[in-house]
Amino acid sequence: MTIRRPQQAPDRADPVPASPVQPPALVGRRRIAELTGSWRTALRIARRESRRARGRTALVLAMIALPVAVLAFLAASYDMAELTSQERVDRRLGVADAELQWVANGPVGQDEWGEGWNTQDGKPPPRVTAAQMTALLGPGSRVTEVRPYTPLTLRGPDRDENVSGRVLDLGDPLARGLVRFLAGRAPQQPFEVAVSPAALRRLDLRLGDAVTVADGSRAYTVVGVVEFPDDLGPVVALHPGAVPKTGPGPDSVWLADVAGTVDAALVSRLNDRGVVVTARHSDGAGGGSNRTRFGFIGASDANDLSTGVLIAGLGLLEVVLLVGPAFAVGVRRRRRDLALVAVAGGDAAQLRRVVLADGVVLGVLGAAVGLVVGVGAAFAGRPLMEEYVFGVRFGGYRCWPAALVLLGAVAVLTGVLAALAPAWTAARQDVSAGLAGRRTPPVAPGRWLVVGLALVVGGAGLAAYGSAQTSPAVILTGLILGELGLVSCTPTLITTLARLGRLLPLAPRIALRDASRNRAAAVPAICAVMAAVASSVALGGYLTSDGVRDARAYQPMLPTGHMLVYQNGSGQQPTLAQVVDAAQDQLGVGAVATVHTPDCDAAGAVYCDIAPVLPPGRECPWQIDDDLPASHRQQARSDPRCAADPSEGYLQPEVDDGSALPLLTGADPTTTAAASAVLRAGGVVVTDPRYLHDNLVTVRVSRVDTGPDQLTALRDLPGYALPRAVGYPRLLLSTGAARQLGVNWSSAGWVIGTTIPPDEEQQARFAAALASFGTFALNVEQGSAPRDVSPLLLLIAAAAGLITVGAAGIATALAAAEGRAELTTLAAVGAAPALRRSLAICQAGVIAGLGSVLGIVAGLGTAAIVLFSVNRQYASAWPVPDPYPILVPWPTLGVLVLVPVVTMLGAGLFTRARLPIERRLD
């Protein structure tokens, strides 16, 4: 083709070609319109894709909706359980106009709802009657007394049961409004009671049955079944005549039916008399200056809030890592569609929006499903939550909209964050490779390894600093940074392992190669396993160390298996022979001794401090003080006189002739004989040898009244120090020593020596054998701190194992779906059918095994750093606390080591051994 150039005059120069005109930059409304249209198109594509890949969509929806549903259920249940001020008042008042509580002799200040009050006069209120309370309200008013807290012990079918007793006249309409009658009638006589359904079940009663008090002093007939909305536990409603009146007091309230209205003048007048008013429609309490603001966020609340936010962040990270592989596989399957978008003029930002729109759409759907399911379950399961969890009736039906909006936003954020890495990968893919259906070889930039190592080191340092400062929020922040650092290092680690996999057999070699090629799907799954395992191992390590530390610091009360028996109340005491008979019949032992305690007077009305005195030169010259300088603390740590904690220098005084000594201290016969000889000679026995000087013990007696302690006696008495004693530090006085000190003594209980700690059934039978004398408190020495963290460790490990199995299963299933073409190729070249199952086992092993190994290493390192930092903090403390031993949580590790094996076996079990064969017709 020939191009003719136009002719022009010879004297004219060629015209200068004009510069190409650049399209104007998109600004203002045009930019917003372009952005809106791009997002609208991306969301439409995402909606279409969610319909196409229904299996993957259901998987993502389940993983997002499940935690949202659980949190929505908890939020709605909590909001319904948290009563408003008006609901609390309505529940307290029933049909009454006001609730009155006489709290002081002088004026009081209260808040608007009568839930908080203060007074300058701390004296107890006078004993008043209903007539006096009615006179305060004016003519035409009426009151009824309610005593809501009356402890009561009743005989059950197998043992004595402690129930909550409430004294009120249910025949009075004012009190009747506090309950809901389920059956029967109101008690009309002192020997009649109404019980709650829980008490009915626990005591195995029916209407018309009789129930007896544990001491056998009274018996009641059940005439009604009632429900108290504020307590769904075992409650017994007693007639006012059944319990002697003790006056209003702080535990007694009055429900009032006022002739007029409860206005500010009436509230102010009652406040001046020391009466706190809770009105249904409060008009104030004498002006705003008399009101007290209750409820504020303190430092501990802020720490708890920040800790909760960080724990929620860890959970969010776990969900993002679990959901990430599904988005990565979706991007790989759509690489041709994304390449077509790029060919049609889409830039990198638009490609990212197409993938991020998947996260938005699935996040919105997951939030909607989770919120509907969670709130619906909260409403449907409300009766069960009321009865078995909270123990009270809820208020109105509500669902905490602010929390639900936040949960929905977090769900959408989870979807967007899970799609973020695949979106970045999609924007950088080669268009030609995408159109041809070829994979773009992944590139692992070295900077991610550097960033990851920096985050790991920084997170470890921050966690160490937080543990030294005792700040859980800082510790969790360091853990999150450390986990993010390990996430950044994982791609490089997978690449390295894939290169080393050349020496392995075919199935593991292919599994490592696929994990390296499909890092966008493998890395999040491995990191999800690692995060769960690391958290469980770190927490398990801390709990194990803390349990061992508590066991070392545990001080037994008595020798193992021995039991102290105290009588509740001031009734007639059984004799020593009667206690011995009960111990022989029910416990099979006869080693029983009476425990006597000294008193300053025979009535026991005055408390006196009876304690040994350290000899001069043995007392620590420093006292525990937060402002003690570091140099003094260092000197105290090196001073042998300060080796014992000065705050633990109390010795429990008791009076004994040597009969109770071996049962209380576990002394051997030789030591018991020597100590008993000193007691018979009028001396004293101590369990701490520091108090013994020249075979004497100095004992001080001081009266403790409202003023300063008054020294009444100071004597040097013959003494003996037990070389080895079990139980609390004790000062055993002989009767002669007690007389020299001018103190009396009385029987306080009994000590019973058993070789094996009696179980609950034996204790119940023993208490029942002495039930004719009243109720008894039984304290059994188990020999160790009552704390076993093994079930908690196994529960934590099981939760981490569940996440491991889920993450490995999801990643293996996605890898199997993605690698179907390669399996077809292997079948075509003659691979054995069992190769498919072996490949699935190896793929699950790569995800679960690598994640578990990284998590165990990270968890043990985290626990060691935290415990080491805490022990370093204790290095300069005084008194010297017991350090945390750095231990391995073997129960947790045992479960976590088995989880990858179980995961691999499950993958092999649920994978068909047959290789796919596809025929192609030309």
Side-chain angles (χ1 to χ4, degrees), residues 104 154 224 335 417 422 428 457 597 655:
L154 303 175
R335 56 181 175 266
L417 292 178
R428 300 176 61 188
V457 175
T597 56
V655 178

Side-chain angles (χ1 to χ4, degrees), residues 248-452:
D251 296 331
S252 183
V253 298
W254 299 80
L255 297 179
D257 180 13
V258 182
T261 60
V262 184
D263 54 9
L266 177 61
V267 173
S268 179
R269 186 170 71 251
L270 293 174
N271 287 167
D272 293 340
R273 295 294 300 271
V275 178
V276 176
V277 182
T278 300
R280 188 176 304 280
H281 301 291
S282 179
D283 294 330
S289 60
N290 292 332
R291 301 181 187 179
T292 304
R293 290 181 60 91
F294 293 89
F296 58 89
I297 297 178
S300 60
D301 298 322
N303 290 334
D304 293 341
L305 179 62
S306 60
T307 303
V309 170
L310 290 173
I311 292 176
L314 282 173
L316 175 65
L317 176 62
E318 190 70 28
V319 176
V320 168
L321 293 175
L322 287 172
V323 176
F327 284 104
V329 171
V331 168
R332 283 204 305 272
R333 289 197 168 190
R334 298 165 55 194
R335 56 181 175 266
R336 178 176 174 80
D337 296 341
L338 295 174
L340 290 174
V341 173
V343 170
D347 55 9
Q350 290 170 335
L351 290 176
R352 284 193 294 268
R353 289 185 198 124
V354 170
V355 181
L356 291 176
D358 290 345
V360 174
V361 169
L362 295 180
V364 170
L365 291 177
V369 172
L371 294 178
V372 171
V373 171
V375 174
F379 287 171
R382 170 174 166 146
L384 299 177
M385 295 291 291
E386 289 174 339
E387 186 169 357
Y388 296 106
V389 178
F390 289 87
V392 296
R393 291 297 178 196
F394 291 172
Y397 280 88
R398 46 184 177 263
C399 56
W400 201 353
L404 298 187
V405 170
L406 179 61
L407 287 177
V410 170
V412 176
L413 178 63
T414 301
V416 173
L417 292 178
L420 191 60
W424 187 266
T425 303
R428 300 176 61 188
Q429 75 170 352
D430 187 280
V431 177
S432 300
L435 291 174
R438 299 191 306 270
R439 293 183 177 182
T440 304
V443 178
R447 63 176 179 271
W448 286 111
L449 178 62
V450 176
V451 172

Side-chain angles (χ1 to χ4, degrees), residues 98 100 129-135 137 141-145 172 174 254-258:
L100 311 178
T129 62
Q132 292 174 316
M133 194 64 83
T134 304
L137 297 175
S141 300
R142 190 171 61 85
V143 298
T144 184
E145 185 182 9
D172 192 320
L174 289 178
W254 299 80
L255 297 179
D257 180 13
V258 182

Side-chain angles (χ1 to χ4, degrees), residues 796-858:
I796 294 172
L802 183 62
I803 294 176
T804 301
V805 172
I810 293 170
T812 303
L814 293 174
E818 181 70 12
R820 182 178 178 85
E822 295 183 356
L823 293 175
T824 303
T825 304
L826 290 174
V829 298
L835 180 62
R836 182 178 186 180
R837 180 169 292 169
S838 301
L839 182 58
I841 292 174
C842 293
Q843 287 173 335
V846 169
I847 302 297
L850 185 57
S852 297
V853 170
L854 291 177
I856 290 174
V857 173

Side-chain angles (χ1 to χ4, degrees), residues 626-816:
D626 293 336
D627 298 330
L628 196 66
S631 59
H632 290 184
R633 290 199 304 269
Q634 183 63 29
Q635 294 177 20
R637 288 175 59 87
S638 58
D639 194 329
R641 297 173 297 176
C642 304
D645 190 345
S647 64
E648 299 177 356
Y650 174 76
L651 275 70
Q652 183 172 339
E654 290 163 343
V655 178
D656 185 37
D657 59 358
S659 59
L661 185 146
L663 300 179
L664 292 173
T665 63
D668 57 69
T670 304
T671 303
T672 300
S676 299
V678 173
L679 291 174
R680 286 192 298 269
V684 299
V685 174
V686 292
T687 57
D688 190 344
R690 294 182 303 158
Y691 292 96
L692 187 66
H693 59 94
D694 300 329
N695 292 326
L696 298 174
V697 174
T698 303
V699 182
R700 179 189 68 241
V701 180
S702 303
R703 291 172 59 96
V704 180
D705 294 326
T706 56
D709 296 352
Q710 301 176 7
L711 181 65
T712 59
L714 184 65
R715 298 284 189 274
D716 287 335
L717 302 172
Y720 181 83
L722 297 178
R724 290 182 300 274
V726 180
Y728 288 161
R730 301 182 187 276
L731 168 65
L732 299 179
L733 304 173
S734 63
T735 55
R739 293 189 184 96
Q740 292 186 52
L741 295 172
V743 298
N744 302 302
W745 63 91
S746 59
S747 173
W750 302 267
V751 57
I752 302 176
T754 61
T755 56
I756 300 176
D759 54 24
E760 293 185 0
E761 183 178 353
Q762 291 176 313
Q763 297 177 44
R765 291 201 306 265
F766 176 81
L770 299 175
S772 59
F773 298 96
T775 60
F776 294 84
L778 309 180
N779 298 322
V780 179
E781 178 55 56
Q782 302 292 338
S784 61
R787 179 188 179 190
D788 185 10
V789 299
S790 298
L792 182 59
L793 294 178
L794 294 177
L795 181 62
I796 294 172
L802 183 62
I803 294 176
T804 301
V805 172
I810 293 170
T812 303
L814 293 174

